[in-house]
mmCIF file of all heavy atoms in Angstrom:
data_model
loop_
_atom_site.group_PDB
_atom_site.id
_atom_site.type_symbol
_atom_site.label_atom_id
_atom_site.label_comp_id
_atom_site.label_asym_id
_atom_site.label_seq_id
_atom_site.Cartn_x
_atom_site.Cartn_y
_atom_site.Cartn_z
ATOM 1 N N HIS A 1 115.437 -3.902 29.982
ATOM 2 C CA HIS A 1 115.326 -4.148 31.421
ATOM 3 C C HIS A 1 113.847 -4.222 31.777
ATOM 4 O O HIS A 1 113.097 -3.272 31.558
ATOM 5 C CB HIS A 1 116.015 -3.012 32.187
ATOM 6 C CG HIS A 1 115.837 -3.086 33.670
ATOM 7 N ND1 HIS A 1 116.082 -2.005 34.499
ATOM 8 C CD2 HIS A 1 115.442 -4.094 34.495
ATOM 9 C CE1 HIS A 1 115.841 -2.358 35.758
ATOM 10 N NE2 HIS A 1 115.447 -3.613 35.775
ATOM 11 N N ALA A 2 113.431 -5.361 32.315
ATOM 12 C CA ALA A 2 112.047 -5.549 32.740
ATOM 13 C C ALA A 2 111.953 -5.478 34.258
ATOM 14 O O ALA A 2 112.719 -6.141 34.963
ATOM 15 C CB ALA A 2 111.509 -6.890 32.251
ATOM 16 N N LEU A 3 111.036 -4.684 34.751
ATOM 17 C CA LEU A 3 110.750 -4.602 36.179
ATOM 18 C C LEU A 3 109.493 -5.415 36.435
ATOM 19 O O LEU A 3 108.414 -5.085 35.940
ATOM 20 C CB LEU A 3 110.550 -3.144 36.594
ATOM 21 C CG LEU A 3 110.083 -2.895 38.035
ATOM 22 C CD1 LEU A 3 111.115 -3.385 39.039
ATOM 23 C CD2 LEU A 3 109.783 -1.403 38.238
ATOM 24 N N VAL A 4 109.619 -6.496 37.207
ATOM 25 C CA VAL A 4 108.504 -7.380 37.511
ATOM 26 C C VAL A 4 108.127 -7.166 38.974
ATOM 27 O O VAL A 4 108.882 -7.528 39.876
ATOM 28 C CB VAL A 4 108.860 -8.859 37.271
ATOM 29 C CG1 VAL A 4 107.655 -9.751 37.559
ATOM 30 C CG2 VAL A 4 109.349 -9.064 35.834
ATOM 31 N N ILE A 5 106.965 -6.571 39.185
ATOM 32 C CA ILE A 5 106.526 -6.269 40.542
ATOM 33 C C ILE A 5 105.575 -7.365 40.994
ATOM 34 O O ILE A 5 104.431 -7.450 40.550
ATOM 35 C CB ILE A 5 105.861 -4.881 40.611
ATOM 36 C CG1 ILE A 5 106.808 -3.820 40.045
ATOM 37 C CG2 ILE A 5 105.490 -4.535 42.055
ATOM 38 C CD1 ILE A 5 106.218 -2.428 39.961
ATOM 39 N N GLY A 6 106.073 -8.218 41.864
ATOM 40 C CA GLY A 6 105.324 -9.379 42.326
ATOM 41 C C GLY A 6 105.933 -10.655 41.786
ATOM 42 O O GLY A 6 106.008 -10.848 40.570
ATOM 43 N N ALA A 7 106.407 -11.521 42.682
ATOM 44 C CA ALA A 7 107.026 -12.785 42.268
ATOM 45 C C ALA A 7 106.163 -13.961 42.705
ATOM 46 O O ALA A 7 106.668 -14.986 43.157
ATOM 47 C CB ALA A 7 108.436 -12.909 42.862
ATOM 48 N N GLY A 8 104.842 -13.800 42.561
ATOM 49 C CA GLY A 8 103.901 -14.839 42.959
ATOM 50 C C GLY A 8 103.305 -15.559 41.771
ATOM 51 O O GLY A 8 104.022 -15.987 40.871
ATOM 52 N N GLY A 9 101.960 -15.667 41.758
ATOM 53 C CA GLY A 9 101.290 -16.444 40.729
ATOM 54 C C GLY A 9 101.529 -15.942 39.316
ATOM 55 O O GLY A 9 101.834 -16.730 38.414
ATOM 56 N N LEU A 10 101.398 -14.647 39.082
ATOM 57 C CA LEU A 10 101.627 -14.071 37.754
ATOM 58 C C LEU A 10 103.103 -13.825 37.490
ATOM 59 O O LEU A 10 103.603 -14.061 36.386
ATOM 60 C CB LEU A 10 100.857 -12.758 37.615
ATOM 61 C CG LEU A 10 99.329 -12.862 37.610
ATOM 62 C CD1 LEU A 10 98.698 -11.483 37.685
ATOM 63 C CD2 LEU A 10 98.849 -13.599 36.373
ATOM 64 N N GLY A 11 103.808 -13.340 38.494
ATOM 65 C CA GLY A 11 105.228 -13.042 38.325
ATOM 66 C C GLY A 11 106.058 -14.267 38.031
ATOM 67 O O GLY A 11 107.090 -14.174 37.353
ATOM 68 N N SER A 12 105.613 -15.432 38.516
ATOM 69 C CA SER A 12 106.373 -16.664 38.276
ATOM 70 C C SER A 12 106.460 -17.015 36.794
ATOM 71 O O SER A 12 107.561 -17.038 36.225
ATOM 72 C CB SER A 12 105.757 -17.828 39.058
ATOM 73 O OG SER A 12 105.976 -17.716 40.431
ATOM 74 N N PRO A 13 105.347 -17.257 36.100
ATOM 75 C CA PRO A 13 105.453 -17.596 34.680
ATOM 76 C C PRO A 13 105.948 -16.436 33.828
ATOM 77 O O PRO A 13 106.668 -16.652 32.845
ATOM 78 C CB PRO A 13 104.023 -17.988 34.294
ATOM 79 C CG PRO A 13 103.154 -17.313 35.304
ATOM 80 C CD PRO A 13 103.943 -17.309 36.567
ATOM 81 N N ALA A 14 105.581 -15.216 34.206
ATOM 82 C CA ALA A 14 106.050 -14.062 33.430
ATOM 83 C C ALA A 14 107.565 -13.995 33.442
ATOM 84 O O ALA A 14 108.213 -13.871 32.387
ATOM 85 C CB ALA A 14 105.448 -12.772 33.988
ATOM 86 N N SER A 15 108.164 -14.087 34.624
ATOM 87 C CA SER A 15 109.616 -13.963 34.709
ATOM 88 C C SER A 15 110.328 -15.178 34.120
ATOM 89 O O SER A 15 111.435 -15.061 33.583
ATOM 90 C CB SER A 15 110.049 -13.735 36.157
ATOM 91 O OG SER A 15 109.625 -14.782 36.999
ATOM 92 N N PHE A 16 109.703 -16.365 34.194
ATOM 93 C CA PHE A 16 110.264 -17.555 33.554
ATOM 94 C C PHE A 16 110.547 -17.270 32.080
ATOM 95 O O PHE A 16 111.643 -17.528 31.568
ATOM 96 C CB PHE A 16 109.277 -18.717 33.657
ATOM 97 C CG PHE A 16 109.652 -19.774 34.645
ATOM 98 C CD1 PHE A 16 109.071 -19.814 35.899
ATOM 99 C CD2 PHE A 16 110.586 -20.748 34.319
ATOM 100 C CE1 PHE A 16 109.408 -20.804 36.810
ATOM 101 C CE2 PHE A 16 110.932 -21.739 35.220
ATOM 102 C CZ PHE A 16 110.344 -21.776 36.477
ATOM 103 N N TYR A 17 109.543 -16.733 31.381
ATOM 104 C CA TYR A 17 109.694 -16.537 29.942
ATOM 105 C C TYR A 17 110.469 -15.277 29.587
ATOM 106 O O TYR A 17 111.077 -15.197 28.519
ATOM 107 C CB TYR A 17 108.326 -16.564 29.252
ATOM 108 C CG TYR A 17 107.885 -17.984 28.987
ATOM 109 C CD1 TYR A 17 106.991 -18.612 29.833
ATOM 110 C CD2 TYR A 17 108.408 -18.710 27.922
ATOM 111 C CE1 TYR A 17 106.609 -19.926 29.627
ATOM 112 C CE2 TYR A 17 108.039 -20.020 27.690
ATOM 113 C CZ TYR A 17 107.138 -20.637 28.560
ATOM 114 O OH TYR A 17 106.784 -21.940 28.341
ATOM 115 N N LEU A 18 110.481 -14.297 30.467
ATOM 116 C CA LEU A 18 111.362 -13.153 30.240
ATOM 117 C C LEU A 18 112.811 -13.609 30.300
ATOM 118 O O LEU A 18 113.648 -13.184 29.496
ATOM 119 C CB LEU A 18 111.117 -12.069 31.299
ATOM 120 C CG LEU A 18 109.752 -11.381 31.297
ATOM 121 C CD1 LEU A 18 109.690 -10.365 32.425
ATOM 122 C CD2 LEU A 18 109.470 -10.710 29.965
ATOM 123 N N ALA A 19 113.114 -14.475 31.270
ATOM 124 C CA ALA A 19 114.486 -14.975 31.425
ATOM 125 C C ALA A 19 114.870 -15.888 30.272
ATOM 126 O O ALA A 19 115.922 -15.708 29.643
ATOM 127 C CB ALA A 19 114.628 -15.708 32.762
ATOM 128 N N SER A 20 114.024 -16.859 29.978
ATOM 129 C CA SER A 20 114.368 -17.793 28.898
ATOM 130 C C SER A 20 114.384 -17.082 27.549
ATOM 131 O O SER A 20 115.145 -17.452 26.651
ATOM 132 C CB SER A 20 113.376 -18.955 28.863
ATOM 133 O OG SER A 20 112.070 -18.505 28.567
ATOM 134 N N GLY A 21 113.561 -16.034 27.408
ATOM 135 C CA GLY A 21 113.509 -15.283 26.162
ATOM 136 C C GLY A 21 114.645 -14.304 25.977
ATOM 137 O O GLY A 21 114.793 -13.730 24.898
ATOM 138 N N GLY A 22 115.441 -14.070 27.026
ATOM 139 C CA GLY A 22 116.670 -13.301 26.860
ATOM 140 C C GLY A 22 116.641 -11.849 27.272
ATOM 141 O O GLY A 22 117.504 -11.071 26.835
ATOM 142 N N PHE A 23 115.679 -11.427 28.098
ATOM 143 C CA PHE A 23 115.726 -10.052 28.603
ATOM 144 C C PHE A 23 117.064 -9.823 29.299
ATOM 145 O O PHE A 23 117.467 -10.609 30.160
ATOM 146 C CB PHE A 23 114.584 -9.803 29.588
ATOM 147 C CG PHE A 23 113.486 -8.946 29.031
ATOM 148 C CD1 PHE A 23 112.488 -9.505 28.247
ATOM 149 C CD2 PHE A 23 113.463 -7.587 29.262
ATOM 150 C CE1 PHE A 23 111.476 -8.721 27.721
ATOM 151 C CE2 PHE A 23 112.453 -6.786 28.745
ATOM 152 C CZ PHE A 23 111.453 -7.353 27.964
ATOM 153 N N GLY A 24 117.734 -8.738 28.941
ATOM 154 C CA GLY A 24 119.077 -8.501 29.469
ATOM 155 C C GLY A 24 119.124 -8.338 30.969
ATOM 156 O O GLY A 24 120.072 -8.785 31.632
ATOM 157 N N LYS A 25 118.097 -7.696 31.532
ATOM 158 C CA LYS A 25 118.025 -7.538 32.982
ATOM 159 C C LYS A 25 116.583 -7.678 33.428
ATOM 160 O O LYS A 25 115.675 -7.134 32.800
ATOM 161 C CB LYS A 25 118.581 -6.174 33.422
ATOM 162 C CG LYS A 25 118.545 -5.977 34.932
ATOM 163 C CD LYS A 25 119.165 -4.651 35.364
ATOM 164 C CE LYS A 25 119.114 -4.493 36.882
ATOM 165 N NZ LYS A 25 119.729 -3.223 37.342
ATOM 166 N N ILE A 26 116.410 -8.410 34.506
ATOM 167 C CA ILE A 26 115.096 -8.563 35.125
ATOM 168 C C ILE A 26 115.235 -8.201 36.593
ATOM 169 O O ILE A 26 116.089 -8.746 37.295
ATOM 170 C CB ILE A 26 114.573 -10.009 35.005
ATOM 171 C CG1 ILE A 26 114.441 -10.420 33.533
ATOM 172 C CG2 ILE A 26 113.225 -10.146 35.711
ATOM 173 C CD1 ILE A 26 114.176 -11.902 33.332
ATOM 174 N N THR A 27 114.403 -7.275 37.044
ATOM 175 C CA THR A 27 114.359 -6.931 38.462
ATOM 176 C C THR A 27 113.069 -7.472 39.051
ATOM 177 O O THR A 27 111.978 -7.102 38.617
ATOM 178 C CB THR A 27 114.434 -5.414 38.677
ATOM 179 O OG1 THR A 27 115.688 -4.924 38.171
ATOM 180 C CG2 THR A 27 114.339 -5.079 40.160
ATOM 181 N N LEU A 28 113.206 -8.381 40.009
ATOM 182 C CA LEU A 28 112.064 -8.971 40.705
ATOM 183 C C LEU A 28 111.854 -8.244 42.024
ATOM 184 O O LEU A 28 112.802 -8.084 42.800
ATOM 185 C CB LEU A 28 112.331 -10.448 41.008
ATOM 186 C CG LEU A 28 112.079 -11.495 39.925
ATOM 187 C CD1 LEU A 28 112.450 -12.869 40.472
ATOM 188 C CD2 LEU A 28 110.641 -11.485 39.466
ATOM 189 N N VAL A 29 110.627 -7.825 42.283
ATOM 190 C CA VAL A 29 110.313 -7.102 43.516
ATOM 191 C C VAL A 29 109.222 -7.851 44.282
ATOM 192 O O VAL A 29 108.133 -8.068 43.756
ATOM 193 C CB VAL A 29 109.826 -5.670 43.215
ATOM 194 C CG1 VAL A 29 109.539 -4.930 44.509
ATOM 195 C CG2 VAL A 29 110.847 -4.917 42.382
ATOM 196 N N ASP A 30 109.536 -8.252 45.507
ATOM 197 C CA ASP A 30 108.532 -8.897 46.356
ATOM 198 C C ASP A 30 109.084 -8.977 47.775
ATOM 199 O O ASP A 30 110.224 -9.411 47.966
ATOM 200 C CB ASP A 30 108.195 -10.301 45.848
ATOM 201 C CG ASP A 30 106.811 -10.757 46.305
ATOM 202 O OD1 ASP A 30 106.528 -10.659 47.515
ATOM 203 O OD2 ASP A 30 106.025 -11.222 45.457
#
């Protein structure tokens, strides 16, 4: 489970690859 704090400039590409890479759960906070 990845907690991504910030869905802006850094959170966008980070969460893209966490999702495509198969992290079971991603929590986006913004």
Side-chain angles (χ1 to χ4, degrees):
H1 174 197
L3 173 63
V4 182
I5 305 175
L10 293 171
S12 289
S15 58
F16 254 100
Y17 277 99
L18 295 179
S20 63
F23 253 83
K25 181 177 180 179
I26 300 169
T27 298
L28 277 179
V29 181
D30 204 310

